[in-house]
Amino acid sequence: MEISTKFVLQEKEAFEKNSEARLKTIRGDIEDMKAALSTANETASEIQAQLNAIEKKEAELEAWLEKMETDDALQGAQQGFHAAMAELEKAKENLEKRLK
């Protein structure tokens, strides 16, 4: 039983580390998009709205990550995190395409 508990903790730590790295990358991408916003050919307000939505999703992911650090229901938290991460990455990619 102790080995199983250690394995679960190792998996949780690895997942959290990976997730934090992914979020850090996305935060950098968000900052890059903010900089590109001033030179975009499209309507700035439309792009700003999309960027705001991406930042909101990033904040939701941060909340999921915090929940995973305190929640015993790791699997449920991971599933929610993965779903939110997929939405965030898709929204980020769509906005990056529009900024090119």
Side-chain angles (χ1 to χ4, degrees):
M1 187 69 166
E2 186 176 317
I3 293 172
S4 176
T5 302
K6 286 182 180 180
F7 178 75
V8 169
L9 289 175
Q10 288 174 343
E11 287 292 312
K12 179 181 176 183
E13 289 173 7
F15 176 79
E16 289 173 357
K17 185 176 180 179
N18 182 2
S19 299
E20 288 172 0
R22 289 172 69 189
L23 273 175
K24 183 178 179 181
T25 299
I26 289 173
R27 285 184 191 123
D29 292 343
I30 289 170
E31 292 304 316
D32 292 344
M33 286 187 281
K34 284 181 179 179
L37 181 62
S38 63
T39 59
N41 293 331
E42 294 187 28
T43 305
S45 62
E46 181 182 328
I47 292 173
Q48 185 63 50
Q50 290 179 349
L51 188 55
N52 291 343
I54 288 172
E55 287 181 316
K56 181 180 176 185
K57 288 181 184 189
E58 185 270 332
E60 290 171 6
L61 286 172
E62 184 67 34
W64 273 108
L65 203 53
E66 288 176 14
K67 180 179 180 180
M68 285 186 290
E69 291 173 358
T70 59
D71 193 352
D72 290 334
L74 178 61
Q75 187 174 9
Q78 283 181 336
Q79 290 172 348
F81 182 88
H82 285 303
M85 178 62 80
E87 287 180 23
L88 174 59
E89 288 175 337
K90 183 175 180 180
K92 180 185 73 79
E93 288 172 6
N94 288 339
L95 185 53
E96 285 175 332
K97 287 177 186 175
R98 294 187 71 184
L99 291 173
K100 290 183 179 182

